[in-house]
Amino acid sequence: MANVIARPRRVLSGMRPTGKLHLGHYHGVLKNWVRLQSEYECFFFVADWHALTTHYEDPGVIAENVWEMVIDWLACGVNPNLAHLFIQSRVPEHAELHLLLSMVTPLGWLERVPTFKDQQLQLRDRDLATYGFLGYPLLQSADVLIYKATDVPVGEDQVAHLELTREVARRFNHIYGVEPDFAEKAEEAARKMGKKNARLYFDLRRRYQERGEREALEVAHALLEEQANITMADRERLFGYLDGSSREILPEPEVLLTPAAKMPGLDGRKMSKSYSNTIGLREPPEEVERKLRTMPTDPARVRRIDPGNPEKCPVWEFHRIYSDDKTREWVWQGCTTAGIGCLDCKRPIIDAVEAELAPIRAHALEYQEDPERVRTLIAEGCEAARDEARETLAEVRAAMGLDYR
Ligand code: TRP
Ligand code: SF4
């Protein structure tokens, strides 16, 4: 069993191109992607269709932001040699899968996704009573399922979308993966792996079914992944037979909850474009410095001689992220005794943010000056993604009876 390698885990994640990226994206998402790209096979994409579901009235934002966003990713260390980077609308298979999944998705499932009502309330200035907006989480499901992603890094706000994705996959497999003689076909498929592997498979299946051993399930998955001599349909039967009675055509992904590294904004609230409290990844140093120098502090410190309370100050939130213990001690001591002024206090932050942004800006510049290179690496990413997407779609079409000629 030692030669059974772990099932290759595949990560998929997307970002909507609705504005310039800022430090919130860097600390909240991109640093995480950079870490994931060396641990998993990663697919990262620009969710341009998703942007249209809320911004259909201003299509200009898309073209404007797509390439800039890709440049920001690259500048932050997302590496096209490690991850497949692509644009959603350049892999039209997502749309076909979305359509096909829509056939089996009960309307109620979409209506009760919390973001549906929440966002409509939050974005009152837009008319979001559209079919496209209702279908947003299902399009997201298609994004994930078309790559058979095993892990999807998302924040808390997206967990409900992943839950929907899992339900849709389960329902799809149940409707299209059930065969009258499923068990016999699965047993027959197992024998095609050879005596030794078949025995191992049945043993692992028993351990999982009788004793609920997760590890046995994982080893069984690995065993199936490495079989080169069985057909796709047999593989799906064997996956499905481990814990159910239907072929697992679309595997259920797991949530990889992104640690809530909440980047504070300039006003102490979460950094977000809608609060206008951001520091852009490519803003010039003078502008970054100006923003930090003018950011609000503890309102009780009206005069330099008034002591303050860091807990009531947005600058302190920045120290939590950027400063070491020694500096934080200096801040705490100096603030509460009025020993330092707020500008003194901000100095290490200004320096730290600048140290973080300088290399990002420089990398971005390299890509800005070579748009051809960016176009090429995205074209390659799109091709790689399409190859995967086409395979899944062929299976889905066949399962739904659409492979007739
Ligand atoms: N809905 C996600 C967001 O707003 C973006 C997204 C679209 C996504 N498709 C995805 C994220 C698939 C993860 C997986 O942030
Ligand atoms: Fe905030 Fe620092 Fe001023 Fe205290 S000294 S109020 S922590 S900026």
Side-chain angles (χ1 to χ4, degrees):
M1 213 192 298
N3 63 350
V4 176
I5 43 162
R7 186 185 194 191
R9 308 215 48 111
R10 180 178 283 178
V11 157
L12 173 109
S13 199
M15 206 188 271
R16 296 147 43 93
T18 49
K20 288 210 165 65
L21 299 194
H22 50 65
L23 281 175
H25 296 107
Y26 179 63
H27 286 274
V29 182
L30 293 173
K31 269 171 43 181
N32 195 38
W33 284 12
V34 168
R35 190 170 52 76
L36 292 172
Q37 68 188 358
S38 42
E39 294 169 20
Y40 297 82
E41 182 185 17
C42 286
F43 288 78
F44 297 133
F45 73 101
V46 181
D48 56 351
W49 279 334
H50 283 275
L52 271 186
T53 62
T54 49
H55 290 64
Y56 58 91
E57 283 174 306
D58 36 337
V61 299
I62 301 208
E64 206 175 288
N65 290 317
V66 166
W67 296 111
E68 294 304 314
M69 189 164 89
V70 171
I71 290 175
D72 282 334
W73 291 0
L74 296 165
C76 288
V78 177
N79 183 340
N81 297 315
L82 296 175
H84 306 293
L85 309 182
F86 66 99
I87 297 171
Q88 184 183 32
S89 65
R90 302 252 301 255
V91 187
E93 285 76 10
H94 289 230
E96 187 175 336
L97 184 59
H98 177 208
L99 173 82
L100 294 176
L101 295 177
S102 78
M103 306 299 171
V104 302
T105 306
L107 212 40
W109 288 13
L110 294 173
E111 286 163 343
R112 72 176 144 75
V113 172
T115 46
F116 180 58
K117 288 257 147 40
D118 290 357
Q119 290 261 61
Q120 277 186 334
L121 288 177
Q122 262 184 36
L123 303 174
R124 261 180 220 272
D125 50 325
R126 300 176 194 279
D127 178 6
L128 293 182
T130 57
Y131 182 52
F133 186 68
L134 176 67
Y136 185 119
L138 189 63
L139 179 57
Q140 184 165 350
S141 302
D143 299 336
V144 173
L145 297 175
I146 205 156
Y147 300 103
K148 300 191 177 182
T150 56
D151 299 82
V152 182
V154 288
E156 202 66 68
D157 62 319
Q158 297 283 312
V159 170
H161 293 180
L162 256 290
E163 205 37 63
L164 175 81
T165 305
R166 294 167 57 87
E167 282 172 19
V168 168
R170 219 174 296 146
R171 183 165 161 88
F172 184 93
N173 294 334
H174 186 72
I175 297 177
Y176 300 109
V178 174
E179 307 167 295
D181 42 1
F182 176 75
E184 287 109 78
K185 280 190 171 152
E187 305 257 340
E188 203 179 297
R191 284 194 293 274
K192 289 182 198 153
M193 296 191 293
K195 239 199 196 117
K196 207 169 118 235
N197 284 334
R199 198 176 318 123
L200 176 55
Y201 173 84
F202 287 120
D203 182 49
L204 292 165
R205 178 173 178 267
R206 195 172 323 111
R207 277 169 51 196
Y208 176 65
Q209 294 199 340
E210 288 172 12
R211 283 176 263 158
E213 288 178 39
R214 292 278 313 171
E215 203 203 315
L217 185 66
E218 274 174 31
V219 176
H221 280 170
L223 174 72
L224 295 177
E225 288 291 352
E226 65 169 24
Q227 298 304 312
N229 297 328
I230 53 174
T231 63
M232 190 65 84
D234 274 344
R235 195 190 308 273
E236 287 164 359
R237 285 186 186 102
L238 289 167
F239 270 116
Y241 196 48
L242 287 168
D243 59 358
S245 54
S246 55
R247 279 163 59 198
E248 190 175 272
I249 303 165
L250 298 174
E252 291 177 41
E254 275 166 42
V255 173
L256 207 59
L257 201 59
T258 305
K262 278 218 191 73
M263 178 71 202
L266 292 163
D267 57 358
R269 290 184 289 179
K270 176 178 182 262
M271 187 176 281
S272 158
K273 191 179 65 164
S274 44
Y275 298 147
S276 309
N277 63 358
T278 62
I279 295 176
L281 291 180
R282 281 188 262 160
E283 279 183 55
E286 315 78 62
E287 180 60 10
V288 174
E289 172 148 0
R290 188 193 62 77
K291 281 186 172 178
L292 288 168
R293 289 173 74 99
T294 55
M295 79 185 270
T297 58
D298 176 1
R301 284 203 83 179
V302 183
R303 292 160 304 173
R304 168 71 176 75
I305 52 165
D306 298 326
N309 177 358
E311 292 292 356
K312 295 187 175 149
C313 177
V315 179
W316 176 247
E317 298 305 317
F318 275 67
H319 278 292
R320 282 186 202 275
I321 292 192
Y322 288 101
S323 299
D324 55 18
D325 287 348
K326 213 172 123 232
T327 309
R328 280 198 288 257
E329 199 135 314
W330 169 78
V331 170
W332 196 270
Q333 168 70 20
C335 178
T336 53
T337 61
I340 58 170
C342 290
L343 273 182
D344 304 322
C345 180
K346 287 171 172 179
R347 193 70 250 166
I349 297 296
I350 295 170
D351 295 341
V353 171
E354 180 50 25
E356 180 165 80
L357 291 183
I360 294 179
R361 243 185 251 119
H363 275 122
L365 195 60
E366 287 173 31
Y367 289 103
Q368 271 167 281
E369 285 171 349
D370 194 355
E372 234 2 83
R373 183 166 158 219
V374 180
R375 299 289 190 280
T376 305
L377 67 90
I378 286 293
E380 285 166 5
C382 289
E383 273 318 304
R386 268 199 105 164
D387 287 344
E388 292 298 323
R390 279 196 190 101
E391 266 187 43
T392 306
L393 200 54
E395 293 168 47
V396 167
R397 286 193 195 122
M400 294 179 84
L402 292 167
D403 58 344
Y404 61 87
R405 279 293 169 264

